[in-house]
């Protein structure tokens, strides 16, 4: 089994003061959340593309796009989020920075999506905030910054 940043192929966090295990668990959970949220986002996009009247019509809203446009946005963003989540689970270093950027874009897109599905949009924003926090917290394993 190949070595990953999480340990020597065991999947276990390196020994330390306990913060590393918490941060590693947060990063792994963020990867799972990104994978699941990305797949669900792609399904939302496909639903918007398949039938233009799946989501209710809105009144006068600033960020109002055609549902087909929202379908493409969610489909593309969902696929990118899912692929990045899978890369995080494999221990890829580039995926962590990409995951933070995609989590921010996902939060913005879901904020703009609030009128269409308010509860789901708030849940997705909360997930995106947690993902960004978890990916930024584990600085001990970040190759761009030395450990303290």
């Amino acid at each position: 089994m190949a070595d990953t940043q999480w340990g020597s192929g065991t999947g276990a966090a390196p020994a330390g003061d306990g913060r590393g295990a918490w941060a590693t668990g947060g990063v792994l959970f963020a990867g799972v959340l990104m994978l699941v949220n990305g797949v669900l986002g792609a399904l939302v996009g496909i639903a918007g593309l398949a039938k233009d009247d799946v989501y209710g019509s809105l009144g006068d809203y600033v960020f109002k796009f055609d549902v087909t446009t929202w379908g493409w946005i969610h489909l593309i963003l969902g696929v990118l989020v899912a692929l990045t989540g899978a890369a995080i689970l494999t221990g890829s270093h580039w995926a962590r920075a990409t995951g933070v950027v995609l989590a921010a874009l996902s939060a913005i897109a879901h904020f703009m999506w609030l009128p269409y599905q308010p509860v789901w949009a708030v849940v997705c924003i909360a997930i995106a905030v947690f993902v960004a926090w978890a990916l930024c917290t584990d600085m001990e394993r970040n190759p761009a910054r030395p450990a303290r």
Side-chain angles (χ1 to χ4, degrees):
M1 183 182 281
D3 288 350
T4 65
Q5 72 178 15
W6 314 117
S8 299
T10 64
D17 61 0
R19 289 184 303 161
W22 173 253
T24 300
V27 171
L28 290 175
F29 187 54
V32 170
L33 283 177
M34 286 185 73
L35 185 61
V36 171
N37 202 19
V39 169
L40 292 175
L43 292 175
V44 166
I46 290 170
L49 290 172
K51 195 162 183 185
D52 204 32
D53 61 350
V54 171
Y55 302 106
S57 61
L58 300 176
D60 199 18
Y61 184 59
V62 176
F63 304 115
K64 185 176 180 182
F65 292 124
D66 180 60
V67 175
T68 304
T69 304
W70 276 117
W72 281 110
I73 291 170
H74 281 285
L75 178 62
I76 292 168
L77 189 59
V79 168
L80 291 174
V81 168
L83 290 175
T84 304
I88 287 170
L89 292 176
T90 64
S92 178
H93 292 292
W94 64 264
R96 288 177 41 204
T98 305
V100 172
V101 171
L102 288 176
L105 289 175
S106 178
I108 292 167
H110 282 95
F111 174 77
M112 295 169 61
W113 182 249
L114 270 168
Y116 294 94
Q117 289 183 315
V119 175
W120 181 245
V122 170
V123 168
C124 288
I125 290 169
I127 289 172
V129 169
F130 171 78
V131 165
W133 170 83
L135 295 177
C136 290
T137 300
D138 188 24
M139 292 301 172
E140 293 173 7
R141 287 164 196 82
N142 188 348
R145 293 184 59 177
R148 292 187 225 182

